[in-house]
C-alpha cells in the first residue's frame, strides 16, 4: 500500500491531486477545513480530517492520529503533499490585521514545516519510499505589492525545502523533499487575486488579463504534472521545480 497525506483537498489543485491518486493500492489522508463529500464518495481508502491548519498547536496530534492509521508493515511508500494555502490578506502590510498576518504565515509556512518535521520524525527508521512535495509558488520570486505575506511564506517554503533536503542527505533512510511552483491555475485562489479592488491591489488587472488571455491551466492538468513529479524515478530531491513559463506574464505578452 502507498499512503498519501495531502492538505487542501476540499477544492482546487489539492482536490484534483487526491482524485487522481485514488487507486486500490493507495490510501489517502485528506486535510482541509471543509469536508469533501464528493471525494470521499469516490473511494473507501480515504480518511478525511476536517482540520484548520491555522491551529498549529494541534498539528502534532493530527499527525499522531494519521500515523496510528498507517500499517507500516505493508507500506510500500509514504508521501506528504503540503498543498493547502491562503492568499489573504491581499493588502498592503500596514493595512493587514494581526490575525490575518498570523493565519497567512501559519497556514502557508509554519504548518508545512511542522507537518514535514513530524513526517520525518515518524518515518525516520523506515526504509521505504518517502517523499514530500511542498506546493510553493512563482510568487516567491515574482513580487506584487499587496502580496508580501504570500510571497514571503512561499520563498520561506522554498528555502526550508532546500535546507531540510540537505539534512536528509545525512540520513540512512532519507526522505526526498521538493518544492514546486505549479504555475497559474484556474482556482479560487486565482479568482481571489483578480477580484480585488485595483486601488488596494494594483496587480488585480494583471491577474484578470492572464485569465482573459487563456493562460490559466486547469487544476486537473496541474495535478497530473505534480503527481508525475512525485513519482519520478529521478526525484529532484532538494530542487525548486518550476512547472510554468512565467516569462510571458512578466513581459506582459498576452
Ligand atoms: N492557483 C494558482 O494559480 C496557484 C499558483 C501558484 C501556486 N499555487 C499553490 O497551489 C496550492 C493550491 O492552491 P489552489 O489554487 O488549489 O487554492 P484553492 O482552490 O484556494 O484551495 C486551497 C485549499 O487549501 C485549503 N486551506 C486553506 N486554508 C486552510 C486552513 N486554514 N486549514 C486547512 N486547509 C486550508 C482549502 O480548504 P478549506 O478552505 O476547506 O480549508 C482548499 O482546499 C497552494 O499551495 C497555492 O499556493 C496556486
Amino acid at each position: 500500500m502507498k499512503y498519501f497525506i495531502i492538505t487542501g483537498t476540499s477544492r482546487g489543485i489539492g482536490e484534483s491531486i487526491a482524485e487522481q491518486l485514488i487507486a486500490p493500492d493507495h490510501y489517502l489522508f485528506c486535510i482541509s477545513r471543509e469536508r469533501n463529500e464528493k471525494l470521499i464518495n469516490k473511494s473507501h481508502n480515504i480518511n478525511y480530517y476536517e482540520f484548520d491548519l491555522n491551529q498549529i498547536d494541534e498539528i502534532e496530534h493530527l499527525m499522531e492520529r494519521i500515523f496510528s492509521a498507517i500499517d507500516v508493515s505493508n507500506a510500500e511508500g509514504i508521501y506528504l503533499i503540503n498543498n493547502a494555502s491562503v492568499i489573504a490578506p491581499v493588502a498592503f502590510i500596514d493595512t493587514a490585521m494581526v490575525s490575518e498576518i498570523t493565519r497567512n504565515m501559519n497556514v502557508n509556512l509554519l504548518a508545512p514545516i511542522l507537518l514535514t518535521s513530524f513526517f520525518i520524525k515518524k518515518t525516520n527508521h523506515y526504509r521505504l519510499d518517502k517523499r514530500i512535495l511542498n506546493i510553493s509558488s512563482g510568487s516567491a520570486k515574482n513580487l506584487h505589492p499587496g502580496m508580501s505575506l504570500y510571497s514571503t511564506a512561499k520563498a520561506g517554503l522554498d528555502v526550508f525545502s532546500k535546507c531540510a533536503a540537505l539534512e536528509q542527505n545525512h540520513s540512512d533512510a532519507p526522505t526526498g523533499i521538493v518544492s514546486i511552483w505549479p504555475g497559474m491555475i484556474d482556482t479560487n485562489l486565482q479568482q481571489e487575486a483578480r477580484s480585488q479592488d485595483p486601488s488596494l491591489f494594483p496587480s488585480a488587472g494583471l491577474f484578470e488579463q492572464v485569465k482573459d488571455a487563456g493562460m490559466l491551466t486547469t487544476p486537473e492538468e496541474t495535478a497530473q504534472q505534480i503527481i508525475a513529479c512525485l513519482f519520478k524515478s529521478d526525484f529532484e530531491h532538494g530542487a525548486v521545480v518550476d512547472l510554468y513559463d512565467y516569462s510571458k506574464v512578466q513581459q506582459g505578452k498576452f
Side-chain angles (χ1 to χ4, degrees), residues 20-31:
Q20 290 178 30
L21 282 174
I22 288 173
D25 59 340
H26 288 182
Y27 205 101
L28 275 54
F29 300 93
C30 296
I31 301 162

Side-chain angles (χ1 to χ4, degrees), residues 8 10 13 33-34 52-53 83 150 154 183 185 187 190:
S10 62
I13 300 168
R33 288 168 301 177
E34 195 184 316
D52 185 349
L53 290 165
N83 163 78
Y150 183 76
K154 294 300 190 183
I185 305 101
T187 66
Q190 271 290 326

Side-chain angles (χ1 to χ4, degrees), residues 72-145:
V72 179
S73 67
N74 84 346
E76 191 188 322
I78 311 182
Y79 309 89
L80 167 64
I81 305 176
N82 282 309
N83 163 78
S85 181
V86 278
I87 194 170
V90 183
F92 283 28
I93 200 60
D94 51 310
T95 66
M97 293 193 307
V98 172
S99 60
E100 294 174 319
I101 295 172
T102 312
R103 190 183 57 222
N104 188 296
M105 286 296 140
N106 281 348
V107 175
N108 290 338
L109 184 57
L110 203 45
I113 288 176
L114 290 170
L115 288 164
T116 300
S117 169
F118 293 127
F119 179 97
I120 294 173
K121 221 178 272 182
K122 285 278 174 200
T123 60
N124 241 340
H125 302 296
Y126 301 134
R127 291 177 187 280
L128 310 164
D129 192 25
K130 296 176 292 182
R131 300 182 184 194
I132 298 175
L133 287 187
N134 288 323
I135 310 302
S136 177
S137 169
S139 294
K141 185 173 144 207
N142 305 311
L143 308 182
H144 299 278

